[in-house]
Structure formats: C-alpha cells, structure tokens
Amino acid sequence: MAALTLAPISGSDMPGSDKLYHVLACAALAFPLTFARPRFMVPVALAVVVYGGLIELIQPYVGRSREWADLFADALGAMIGAGLGALFGNWLQPYWGTKATHKN
C-alpha cells in the first residue's frame, strides 16, 4: 500500500478513482487480519486508519498531495475490510476447526 500511495502520479485517471483505490487498498489490508482474528476488528481498523494518516502526512514530500478526502476513503476502506473480515471470520470459524467441539 505504501509503495502505491507514495509513488509519483503518472498519467490521468478517471475523476474520483483515486478515492476508490484508497478504499480498496485499506479494505484489502484490514480484511485478512480480521478474518484470521475477528475479535481484533476495532484495533485493526484503527491501525489501518492511522497508517493511512501517516501516509497522507508523508505524501507532500514525495510530490503528491495531502487530502482529507483520502484519509476519509482510508477510514471507510478500513471499516469495510475489518467488518467484512470479522463477519466472514466468525461465520467460517466453526468450519475450519479452530475450536474443538468434540472429543476422540
């Protein structure tokens, strides 16, 4: 995520697509962590938002702009990814055998 958000911008994308990339990147970062450990949904979402905020602070030093809308998109993506990860993690947990429910 850092490599993509700190790389210089090349070419012109469709308007608004930058925000979609922020949402998708943060969701992709949060999803697997909360899928594996659903109980960490809130700390993971907060950590991803802080990470996105730190990237926003660094961007002006690498020729990119700092935008509140990007941070909002990061937060939205973190919440979506963490929420879906926890939802699917809790839903599938009984099927992958992390909790033994029977004795041999």
Side-chain angles (χ1 to χ4, degrees):
M1 181 175 154
L4 294 174
T5 56
L6 294 175
I9 299 173
S10 61
S12 61
D13 291 333
M14 293 179 8
S17 64
D18 175 53
K19 306 308 176 249
L20 178 61
Y21 297 149
H22 280 266
V23 169
L24 293 174
C26 287
L29 185 60
F31 181 88
L33 298 170
T34 55
F35 181 80
R37 297 286 188 260
R39 69 176 184 255
F40 294 143
M41 180 179 72
V42 172
V44 166
L46 290 174
V48 171
V49 172
V50 168
Y51 182 66
L54 292 173
I55 288 174
E56 287 302 313
L57 291 174
I58 295 169
Q59 280 184 336
Y61 299 105
V62 294
R64 302 215 29 192
S65 62
R66 179 184 306 151
E67 297 180 34
W68 283 106
D70 286 349
L71 183 59
F72 178 75
D74 292 343
L76 181 62
M79 289 186 287
I80 290 170
L84 289 175
L87 178 72
F88 287 115
N90 280 326
W91 182 57
L92 293 174
Q93 197 170 33
Y95 301 108
W96 66 32
T98 57
K99 293 182 181 177
T101 58
H102 65 281
K103 293 183 179 182
N104 291 337

